[in-house]
Amino acid sequence: DQQVKQNSPSLSVQEGRISILNCDYTNSMFDYFLWYKKYPAEGPTFLISISSIKDKNEDGRFTVFLNKSAKHLSLHIVPSQPGDSAVYFCAASHFGNEKLTFGTGTRLTIIP
Amino acid sequence: ETGVTQTPRHLVMGMTNKKSLKCEQHLGHNAMYWYKQSAKKPLELMFVYNFKEQTENNSVPSRFSPECPNSSHLFLHLHTLQPEDSALYLCASSQVVQSNTEAFFGQGTRLTVV
């Protein structure tokens, strides 16, 4: 049973436009959510996170939105840049448990 | 030097070989992890070590054997692997405190079993 789902395996966005990556989860115990970015031949790097006490967290061009009632979160990148082309993983955990549960990833391609 | 270092970066081994993957973290973290990434699958957590004690083993076959001699080093010993074990193996570390925190990953070891 996949507890964290990224239903779009790939996404293409024009440079300068907004990229929106989506993630759904099923475990209501999750209270901390993270986005990681992964380039080929490298490990995932942490991008941004959000706690369940918030519904939005912003860091520069990256904003994560959390909708707890829908068990849905999204990552917005604006404006999108060619260097943003990578695979993006959504991950979740719950308080007191250091284990991260990951989605399958979405490959984002920014078109110049 | 990067925060989490994995060696080797690439490994090709036969099914009868024995090899080890090494991970070292320079971040002063107290938890370390092994993850497996196969094509089109989520990152799968294999093992968790918290303060050098193994706290989780996600039903991993015994042909994978982890070792954590101290809080900075983590090994994954491999023996009699199968071709389906070919994957990217990622090590990560984090500081386990009262609040949640992110994990930092190494660059991974691309393992091919022939």
Side-chain angles (χ1 to χ4, degrees):
Chain A
D1 176 37
Q2 206 170 312
Q3 298 185 61
V4 178
K5 299 177 185 179
Q6 293 176 257
N7 292 319
S8 298
S10 63
L11 175 68
S12 294
V13 174
Q14 205 76 33
E15 181 179 358
R17 298 286 184 100
I18 183 171
S19 296
I20 300 176
L21 297 106
N22 294 303
C23 178
D24 297 294
Y25 62 96
T26 57
N27 188 340
S28 57
M29 295 286 290
F30 288 145
D31 58 7
Y32 188 63
F33 305 89
L34 309 91
W35 284 95
Y36 282 83
K37 176 179 179 180
K38 185 181 181 305
Y39 292 118
E42 293 186 14
T45 54
F46 170 73
L47 199 56
I48 193 169
S49 63
I50 188 167
S51 162
S52 60
I53 62 173
K54 294 185 172 182
D55 53 20
K56 176 182 174 182
N57 188 25
E58 194 171 349
D59 183 3
R61 296 186 299 114
F62 302 92
T63 303
V64 56
F65 295 91
L66 175 63
N67 182 333
K68 289 185 289 293
S69 60
K71 293 193 177 69
H72 177 83
L73 65 154
S74 60
L75 174 68
H76 292 211
I77 306 172
V78 56
S80 300
Q81 299 174 354
D84 296 329
S85 295
V87 177
Y88 289 78
F89 290 96
C90 169
S93 69
H94 56 85
F95 184 81
N97 186 338
E98 64 274 17
K99 184 176 84 171
L100 288 174
T101 302
F102 284 85
T104 49
T106 297
R107 181 176 301 279
L108 175 65
T109 303
I110 305 302
I111 305 164
Chain B
E1 205 169 71
T2 58
V4 181
T5 306
Q6 287 187 245
T7 54
R9 293 292 309 278
H10 301 274
L11 178 62
V12 179
M13 59 186 288
M15 289 190 284
T16 58
N17 291 158
K18 287 185 180 181
K19 296 285 184 184
S20 295
L21 310 185
K22 180 183 175 183
C23 177
E24 184 174 0
Q25 59 100 357
H26 312 277
L27 301 168
H29 289 163
N30 55 21
M32 296 187 77
Y33 316 79
W34 280 115
Y35 283 87
K36 176 183 177 182
Q37 189 187 13
S38 305
K40 299 181 181 177
K41 286 187 176 181
L43 272 165
E44 301 170 60
L45 179 65
M46 300 174 72
F47 301 104
V48 180
Y49 277 83
N50 200 337
F51 291 101
K52 301 186 296 176
E53 299 296 322
Q54 187 180 127
T55 57
E56 188 143 351
N57 174 340
N58 265 3
S59 303
V60 180
S62 59
R63 57 186 184 269
F64 295 90
S65 173
E67 179 190 359
C68 188
N70 55 60
S71 57
S72 299
H73 292 86
L74 185 65
F75 295 90
L76 187 63
H77 303 299
L78 316 170
H79 64 99
T80 60
L81 294 192
Q82 305 297 312
E84 60 265 28
D85 296 322
S86 299
L88 180 68
Y89 288 85
L90 290 158
C91 173
S93 71
S94 70
Q95 185 66 15
V96 178
V97 291
Q98 291 302 311
S99 59
N100 288 313
T101 185
E102 66 271 16
F104 291 80
F105 285 82
Q107 292 185 300
T109 296
R110 172 68 63 186
L111 173 68
T112 304
V113 181
V114 295

